[in-house]
Amino acid sequence: MARRSGNRSRLLLIILLVTSLFLVTLDLRGVSLTKSSRSITQSVLAPVQKGVSNVFSPVGRFFSDIKNFGKTKDELDKAKIANSLLKAQLAKVADNKGALNQLKGLLNLAGQGGYKIVPARVIGRGSSASFSQTITIDAGSSDGISVNQTVISQNGLIGVVKVVTPNSAIILLISDPSFKVGVRIARSQSIGVLLGQGNSQYQLELLDPIGTIENGDVLVTNGSQGNRPFVPGVPVGQVTGVDQKNSSLTQTAIVKSYANLNDLGVVSVVISAPSVAPKTPINPTPQPTITVLVTPTPTATPSLTPTPSPSPRKSKA
Amino acid sequence: MSPIRIASSLVFFFVLFAVQESAISLIHFSVAGFSLYLAVAIALIAYEDHDGAIIMGFLSGIVLDLSPTSNGPFGQWALILTLIGYVFASNRESIFDATSAPLTFVLLIAFGVSASLIFYLFFGLLLGEANGSFTHDIVLILGNLVWTVIFAPMFLPVMRSFQKALKTSRQSK
């Protein structure tokens, strides 16, 4: 009798394990059934998350509301959004300054306007039963949000849209170990890749073999083709430590993000980027320079004749 | 396990999952996080009989796989929690003894949660998932263990009485 029960349990175990492996295989092969089941779950959960967030957030905001007595929450939210835009513009100015210095003041890389954004409230954070780092926001495809759009907070880049449902979206945070973003050092305009490490610090790998990283260097996003997933010029963070290993081909550094991912209340999804943006290195335009020509004369008195020339070379006639 | 029990368990797990995703996930824990879902699921697995533990593991895993924030493929949690269910079922007698000793049972649940996270990490590595640095993963697993030890005594007595009431009603029928 006990043996029969044992055989039945083993059979049950095998059936359930095979079913699980079958589901894993289906998902890895990209069958839409498994993908859509998660999307449906998110659609069902979003109103619950929004409701719970509405109930619990006044309690969580109690102390901040006392501190800002007299101001309504709406005013604060609007001020936060305005502040985030101003900070983004400030970082852009620093970025442009570096580019202008490098190109001898010939190019104007200033942005032609701010980003077009959709503000949203954070209604959930990634489950602790998973190693991924995500947040859920209360805006979705009905607000113009789609997959692979840049998400910013008041201080800079925080992530990218991963999943979208009509009324909610899941954002993969910059701290997630699978997160990668192309960045540019504002000072030197060297480009690199920033990798999430699972905590509040990130690793920068410089792609430029002769480029240098210095402590305090400001990083901005380099931008992607078609501005997806990343729009250019968004402040990312600051270098806090440079790895001085000589064995590696390129330099690496530790970066601290501007955005505090533990304190995200309102975030913004960038739905369109400025029409003109310094996302790729721009070739400098040649400028006429003064060349000194020394002409020998029979009187042995040299004369200096300034003439414009496209090359800064000093030539002797 | 009857179809009605399977259906009611699925509903229970989904409600628990909604609580985890909408309420527990809003709490900012200073280190790592706490998974109420995993802790309750492991406790239920421990209370079940031999076949019930395996089925309960599979059902709880399937619901957890529905999580849109999960970075693993659909079915990964079902696989892991089925295995956890089998481990609990294989050690039925010693685990049954542990349920009568509250402190031992809390530790058992906490280690069960940690073991399932380690399994998840291991399968994730096999499938090529990026799960962060070793230190980060260790901190996350240990943090979860500590929070489970802290919070489990608060909900285990409720679950125990609920389980007893359920068993009594089944016996009386």
Side-chain angles (χ1 to χ4, degrees):
Chain A
M1 194 74 173
R3 182 182 283 180
R4 275 183 63 188
S5 170
N7 286 341
R8 203 183 64 178
S9 292
R10 267 192 286 276
L11 183 67
L12 179 70
L13 176 72
I14 290 165
I15 289 169
L16 293 180
L17 286 180
V18 168
T19 309
S20 304
L21 286 169
F22 180 68
L23 288 171
V24 169
T25 312
L26 281 182
D27 192 85
L28 291 176
R29 288 180 71 87
V31 175
S32 62
L33 181 72
T34 54
K35 299 258 186 266
S36 57
S37 63
R38 282 182 174 168
S39 181
I40 292 165
T41 310
Q42 180 54 32
S43 301
V44 173
L45 270 182
V48 181
Q49 285 179 316
K50 201 171 178 178
V52 172
S53 174
N54 283 338
V55 170
F56 281 102
S57 60
V59 181
R61 292 196 300 240
F62 178 70
F63 293 105
S64 65
D65 286 352
I66 286 177
K67 203 173 86 179
N68 299 298
F69 189 71
K71 292 179 184 174
T72 65
K73 194 67 206 165
D74 284 345
E75 281 175 332
L76 280 173
D77 287 346
K78 279 178 190 167
K80 275 182 182 173
I81 292 163
N83 193 24
S84 69
L85 286 173
L86 286 171
K87 281 191 174 174
Q89 281 173 359
L90 270 176
K92 201 175 202 178
V93 168
D95 178 36
N96 286 340
K97 205 173 172 183
L100 291 172
N101 285 338
Q102 193 182 38
L103 302 174
K104 298 178 184 176
L106 293 176
L107 304 168
N108 180 11
L109 302 179
Q112 298 300 305
Y115 304 112
K116 193 177 177 188
I117 57 166
V118 172
R121 215 155 53 83
V122 177
I123 55 169
R125 298 185 70 86
S127 169
S128 54
S130 162
F131 287 81
S132 67
Q133 303 202 359
T134 56
I135 55 166
T136 309
I137 57 170
D138 66 348
S141 55
S142 57
D143 303 289
I145 295 173
S146 57
V147 176
N148 285 335
Q149 285 179 331
T150 311
V151 186
I152 57 174
S153 75
Q154 55 186 333
N155 296 319
L157 182 76
I158 62 152
V160 66
V161 179
K162 184 187 170 192
V163 178
V164 177
T165 64
N167 298 312
S168 68
I170 294 172
I171 313 301
L172 184 72
L173 292 176
I174 189 172
S175 57
D176 188 87
S178 64
F179 193 95
K180 290 185 181 81
V181 56
V183 291
R184 197 151 33 95
I185 297 174
R187 174 185 56 84
S188 64
Q189 297 294 295
S190 297
I191 57 169
V193 180
L194 192 79
L195 309 161
Q197 300 285 296
N199 49 34
S200 61
Q201 291 191 322
Y202 317 113
Q203 189 180 18
L204 168 67
E205 287 180 4
L206 206 62
L207 296 177
D208 182 3
I210 54 164
T212 55
I213 314 172
E214 289 175 13
N215 269 337
D217 270 348
V218 172
L219 303 181
V220 294
T221 53
N222 192 37
S224 313
Q225 196 169 16
N227 292 324
R228 283 181 179 226
F230 300 105
V231 293
V234 178
V236 177
Q238 203 165 18
V239 174
T240 55
V242 182
D243 196 352
Q244 300 291 354
K245 271 189 288 187
N246 294 324
S247 55
S248 59
L249 287 173
T250 55
Q251 263 196 311
T252 57
I254 301 296
V255 174
K256 189 159 175 34
S257 169
Y258 284 132
N260 181 8
L261 302 181
N262 293 319
D263 189 25
L264 295 173
V266 178
V267 298
S268 299
V269 181
V270 180
I271 56 170
S272 75
S275 54
V276 177
K279 64 179 180 182
T280 50
I282 302 161
N283 293 324
T285 310
Q287 190 186 35
T289 52
I290 294 170
T291 307
V292 177
L293 294 173
V294 181
T295 313
T297 58
T299 57
T301 313
S303 68
L304 298 175
T305 316
T307 52
S309 159
S311 98
R313 196 163 38 89
K314 193 177 200 179
S315 62
K316 204 171 195 178
Chain B
M1 196 179 264
S2 68
I4 294 170
R5 184 112 194 278
I6 289 174
S8 59
S9 299
L10 275 173
V11 171
F12 172 76
F13 281 127
F14 197 81
V15 171
L16 191 65
F17 172 72
V19 170
Q20 171 71 44
E21 293 282 311
S22 54
I24 306 291
S25 64
L26 281 177
I27 302 168
H28 296 287
F29 292 93
S30 51
V31 180
F34 168 61
S35 177
L36 176 73
Y37 185 91
L38 274 181
V40 171
I42 299 286
L44 280 175
I45 289 169
Y47 285 135
E48 285 294 329
D49 61 7
H50 199 272
D51 288 356
I54 299 170
I55 295 170
M56 204 58 93
F58 179 77
L59 294 178
S60 58
I62 282 288
V63 175
L64 198 51
D65 274 321
L66 289 172
S67 173
T69 58
S70 176
N71 55 344
F74 193 92
Q76 191 175 345
W77 271 116
L79 185 75
I80 287 151
L81 289 176
T82 306
L83 286 173
I84 292 281
Y86 179 69
V87 171
F88 273 67
S90 306
N91 300 285
R92 187 67 256 141
E93 282 75 25
S94 47
I95 286 167
F96 188 74
D97 290 342
T99 54
S100 53
L103 188 64
T104 317
F105 192 53
V106 165
L107 289 174
L108 182 81
I109 300 300
F111 283 114
V113 170
S114 301
S116 56
L117 286 174
I118 290 167
F119 277 151
Y120 184 85
L121 201 63
F122 178 72
F123 277 101
L125 283 174
L126 290 181
L127 295 170
E129 290 164 17
N131 283 319
S133 64
F134 181 73
T135 322
H136 163 253
D137 294 338
I138 290 292
V139 167
L140 205 142
I141 291 165
L142 287 179
N144 226 305
L145 186 138
V146 171
W147 291 120
T148 309
V149 169
I150 292 168
F151 289 116
M154 297 177 196
F155 65 83
L156 279 180
V158 181
M159 274 191 61
R160 186 66 180 148
S161 50
F162 177 73
Q163 181 79 6
K164 271 182 183 171
L166 204 71
K167 273 187 178 172
T168 315
S169 66
R170 266 186 291 178
Q171 281 164 1
S172 63
K173 279 181 183 174

